[in-house]
Amino acid sequence: MLSQGFVSAAAIAASVLFILSLGGLSNQEKAKRAVWYGIIGMAVAVFFTALGPGIGGYWLMIPMIIIGAVIGTRLARRVEMTEMPQLVAALHSFVGLAAVFVAWSADLERRRVLAERAADGMMQEFSAFAALVATKAPDELMFLQVEVVLGIFIGAVTFTGSVIAFGKLAGKVDGKPRQLPGGHLLNAGAAVLSLALAILYLNGAGFWTLLLLALLAFFIGYHLIMGIGGADMPVVVSMLNSYSGWAAAAIGFTLSNDLLIVTGALVGSSGAILSYIMCKAMNRNFVNVILGGFGGTQGPAAEIEGEQISIDANGVASALNDAESVIIVPGYGMAVAQAQSAVSDLVRKLRDAGKEVRFGIHPVAGRLPGHMNVLLAEARVPYDIVLEMDEINDDFATTDVVIVIGSNDIVNPAAQEDPNSPIAGMPVLKVWEAKQVFICKRGQGTGYSGIENPLFFKDNSRMYYGDARESINALLPMME
């Protein structure tokens, strides 16, 4: 066993590595090194925590670590980038459920310690946590109870919310916003009952209060995320990331583990900041996001006039050969088709021909923050031509050709033109201002969010139907 001082020093080192990891992820060129900081930090955290004072049960711990490592490795090798958003949501659910289990266990240990104290004043068998509880004064035990309540509530909301988010992202649950009759009143009622149960528990009620509290929080998490539409799922994933961080911090307080507190606070605060930034990018109210009150229709949508006109590969290639400036706007359809390498080849040919080629990236493109940036970096697209929405939006009016690959909501003019649209007020890429717009899309459907897009019917827009990778590859032999 290592001394507590040594474990604390290791915790500080791991915390520094986590901070460096988060800081490095803000820059594409430093991201790989930042990931390694996080990996090393987590390895240090797990190793030195496992060897800390009062830790035992290695006969169970070591097999569980090995099993988890094997499962994690297999998943990492099998999961495609297109499935990364739902994988992240699933991992968030694990953190939330762990918080619930730890909080339940903590209260059972607290009750056992108090019962044995009352019986003979002696503890017959000390677990690491029981030993910790046994040293606490009555007022400190009250703080422990508060931590238990917070851990259960935040963890349970995170668990079911993340499970529903996983289902929506994976297409196993309908992406449209759905709520039970009563809507937000049900959430409010469940929250009030949760508060009442917490008060009863803090005043000495039995373990049943924690079980009911968890059930109510499970319902709140489920109902909150079910009420959010598919168009807003990137914000939901970021929000659940924040929730999972606070759940981890709650576990840290319960176990008196400084590293968990620091790590949870880092994840929770960074997730909250990212959610706020994304809400600003979508013109959403942050409080509404937390309460699950957005993503639904606002009224009858405006009627769309015109028709969708298709074009073949020859027509698109001819326009690209004649163009001087090209902007490519990728979306989730590019990820689904794994078309990033084909897009990179197209960019290389266009640039070799002396054309100006850039990418326009919306903050919520794809189903995970930074999704498109990661795919393009994987395909070795130069960082300097990948521009954010604010950097490129004014340039569409002077651009010859825009190619939209699998995007819908982020290029939807209804966000600015139709106050009844579910995405009304959301800042979008103004691709329709370009001379010509080609939309690479599988078919005429409304896409994941179910929102019709007037862009597809505009006079300067043409629909280039087909699988994104096959469609882009079809253009390559025709480029001059």
Side-chain angles (χ1 to χ4, degrees), residues 265-282:
L266 283 173
V267 174
S269 57
S270 61
I273 292 169
L274 180 58
S275 298
Y276 176 74
I277 292 172
M278 294 177 72
C279 285
K280 287 189 65 178
M282 298 177 70

Side-chain angles (χ1 to χ4, degrees), residues 163-301:
V163 169
I164 296 302
F166 168 83
K168 289 195 171 192
L169 291 167
K172 301 180 184 298
V173 177
D174 191 348
K176 295 180 180 179
R178 298 186 183 279
Q179 288 186 327
L180 297 174
H184 297 300
L185 288 177
L186 283 175
N187 295 335
V192 170
L193 285 175
S194 298
L195 179 60
L197 287 169
I199 293 172
L200 286 174
Y201 166 70
L202 294 175
N203 282 277
F207 186 74
W208 62 269
T209 55
L210 297 182
L211 295 175
L212 290 180
L213 176 64
L215 289 176
L216 287 170
F218 283 146
F219 168 77
I220 292 173
Y222 158 82
H223 204 228
L224 280 176
I225 307 305
M226 281 297 294
I228 298 177
D232 300 310
M233 289 312 294
V235 182
V236 172
V237 173
S238 177
M239 178 181 69
L240 289 170
N241 177 59
S242 179
Y243 288 177
S244 69
W246 299 125
I251 296 174
F253 279 109
T254 302
L255 300 177
S256 294
N257 187 305
D258 295 337
L259 183 57
L260 264 178
I261 296 172
V262 172
T263 305
L266 283 173
V267 174
S269 57
S270 61
I273 292 169
L274 180 58
S275 298
Y276 176 74
I277 292 172
M278 294 177 72
C279 285
K280 287 189 65 178
M282 298 177 70
N283 196 32
R284 303 294 192 189
N285 185 288
F286 186 62
V287 175
N288 284 349
V289 177
I290 296 174
L291 298 179
F294 67 109
T297 56
Q298 309 300 312

Side-chain angles (χ1 to χ4, degrees), residues 313 337 339 342 440 442 464-476:
C440 186
R442 283 184 178 272
Y464 183 31
Y465 293 120
D467 175 83
R469 180 169 58 180
E470 294 176 1
S471 297
I472 299 301
N473 279 330
L475 299 175
L476 297 178

Side-chain angles (χ1 to χ4, degrees), residues 11 131 229 364 369 461 476 480:
V364 295
S461 296
L476 297 178
E480 296 177 356

